[in-house]
Amino acid sequence: MNNFNYTKASNAAEAISQIDGDIRNKIVAGGTNINDLLKYFVTKADTLVDINPIIENKSIIRLDNGGVRLGALCTNADTAYDPIIEERYPVLSKAILAGASAQIRNMATNGGNLMQRTRCYYFYDSSTPCNKREPGSGCSAINGYNRIHAILGQNENCIAVFPSDMCVALRALDASVNISGPSGDRVLAFAEFHRLPGDSPNIDNTLQHGEIITSIDLPEKGFEKNYSYLKLRDRSSYSFALVSVASAFEIENGVIQDARIALGGVAHKPWRVAEAEEFLNEKEPNKGNFETAAKILLQGAKGYEHNNFKIELAKRAVVRNCFMALDPESQRPGAKPSL
């Protein structure tokens, strides 16, 4: 690990002033990702600015508009088990608890979850070309072992996937991100926070240097009656998703009034297609309609030598998870949804 300076910030303005100016000054909160990045020489830091002393960013509060604000420094564990989140936004609680291990969730923060980087093998192997780590060097995954890699939104520059579970649910819920920086405060729709690789696969999101995430806002609607989060992985503990799905419905008189479906483990960002949800609105929640929505979601999907199976896996996962959302009790251990 390279040597670096270490400082602490007691408020957002202090943190911004300490990281602004030098691109290699980094924020550290839970440290569950950046410590690995430093250890494997994937990133370097001249200074690590510890923002854990910023008390005001550690709470979960109700908003006047009926929504809820998640402090960026609140841990994943505290968020998942918060009574407000469990009751009003259960799909978010389920998604968080599907991620990592209990030990990591106890350390990882909400803001850090949004900022985590891909777990692509080649990204962490500094001896191999990787456009995300070293722009212009090439993508080793395209012709390499690409079992966990993207099938949507990728290009010849990068086929890595974004690993978060929490963010899949946040995308389905239409969350927004509150950001502070040298130019002041701004609010960003969650859909606009993460980006596809394009010509700059080394840039994961639209956060500017010197900016920090202060909180995440959830809208009033939480889909507490019909929701489900499904994570398919090679082993049931501590693995990242091959495919994950967050589904949430508002249903009245047996007809879908509002549908939300977001995919994880398939692209550079949580994947959501408005046309698929619009197709389901005003329709009955049945297998045929779910299958059609799945096909719309996966339009344009492209597999590689080792991950072609993910296209069909994703379609089946969408259908299965939509049925699970009709009966949240089906998510209990040992229960099976009826198709």
Side-chain angles (χ1 to χ4, degrees):
M1 186 182 290
N2 294 294
N3 293 328
F4 54 83
N5 297 314
Y6 172 81
T7 64
K8 289 186 177 182
S10 58
N11 55 61
E14 191 175 309
I16 292 165
S17 67
Q18 291 186 40
I19 61 172
D20 191 30
D22 191 333
I23 197 68
R24 296 210 307 183
N25 291 349
K26 310 285 186 182
I27 289 290
V28 61
T32 58
N33 189 201
I34 195 169
N35 287 345
D36 286 340
L37 297 173
L38 291 169
K39 182 169 62 177
Y40 288 101
F41 301 98
V42 176
T43 193
K44 295 180 180 179
D46 284 344
T47 300
L48 280 185
V49 181
D50 187 345
I51 59 174
N52 282 292
I54 305 179
I55 301 299
E56 60 266 31
N57 291 352
K58 292 187 176 182
S59 58
I60 295 176
I61 60 174
R62 296 178 184 268
L63 299 174
D64 292 339
N65 64 6
V68 171
R69 175 163 294 169
L70 310 177
L73 290 175
C74 187
T75 68
N76 287 176
D78 286 345
T79 303
Y81 290 117
D82 185 274
I84 299 175
I85 304 305
E86 287 187 310
E87 178 183 353
R88 293 187 51 196
Y89 307 94
V91 69
L92 176 59
S93 178
K94 295 288 185 183
I96 294 173
L97 294 176
S101 65
Q103 295 91 335
I104 290 176
R105 293 193 298 268
N106 284 336
M107 289 296 297
T109 63
N110 293 335
N113 196 295
L114 272 62
M115 295 293 294
Q116 66 181 299
R117 308 208 67 189
T118 184
R119 265 58 177 194
C120 172
Y121 328 115
Y122 302 102
F123 175 69
Y124 275 89
D125 184 355
S126 58
S127 68
T128 63
C130 172
N131 285 324
K132 183 172 281 296
R133 179 173 18 87
E134 186 178 348
S137 62
C139 177
S140 297
I142 290 178
N143 295 312
Y145 186 61
N146 40 45
R147 175 176 173 80
I148 67 171
H149 289 75
I151 55 174
L152 290 163
Q154 77 279 35
N155 63 17
E156 69 280 1
N157 294 319
C158 184
I159 63 170
V161 298
F162 182 61
S164 171
D165 291 286
M166 177 182 182
C167 288
V168 181
L170 290 174
R171 179 70 183 91
L173 290 168
D174 276 337
S176 56
V177 185
N178 298 309
I179 297 167
S180 293
S183 301
D185 300 336
R186 64 186 179 112
V187 180
L188 193 63
F190 198 85
E192 299 173 6
F193 185 81
H194 298 102
R195 59 184 300 279
L196 296 178
D199 295 327
S200 305
N202 56 307
I203 303 175
D204 295 330
N205 55 64
T206 55
L207 201 69
Q208 302 299 309
H209 181 69
E211 291 186 323
I212 65 171
I213 300 169
T214 57
S215 58
I216 303 156
D217 285 356
L218 303 175
E220 182 177 8
K221 185 182 292 188
F223 298 92
E224 64 272 14
K225 292 183 179 179
N226 296 109
Y227 66 89
S228 180
Y229 187 76
L230 176 65
K231 182 177 183 178
L232 304 179
R233 42 191 163 174
D234 283 325
R235 64 180 190 275
S236 60
S237 62
Y238 316 153
S239 286
F240 294 99
L242 290 169
V243 173
S244 63
V245 191
S247 300
F249 300 124
E250 187 176 81
I251 299 175
E252 294 181 8
N253 300 319
V255 175
I256 298 172
Q257 301 300 318
D258 191 359
R260 307 285 179 85
I261 306 174
L263 294 175
V266 297
H268 224 64
K269 60 188 292 185
W271 194 261
R272 192 172 156 196
V273 177
E275 291 80 2
E277 298 172 358
E278 291 167 1
F279 169 80
L280 286 174
N281 289 338
E282 303 300 328
K283 290 186 174 64
E284 293 182 3
N286 59 44
K287 185 176 181 182
N289 288 332
F290 291 153
E291 287 177 338
T292 300
K295 290 178 182 177
I296 297 172
L297 267 167
L298 273 294
Q299 279 183 349
K302 175 186 175 182
Y304 298 84
E305 181 181 0
H306 302 287
N307 75 345
N308 274 301
F309 73 94
K310 288 181 69 170
I311 299 175
E312 182 62 24
L313 181 68
K315 291 178 182 178
R316 296 188 182 198
V318 169
V319 175
R320 175 183 172 190
N321 198 53
C322 285
F323 273 105
M324 291 171 68
L326 301 182
D327 179 16
E329 290 297 311
S330 67
Q331 299 171 57
R332 294 183 180 276
K336 295 182 179 180
S338 57
L339 298 183

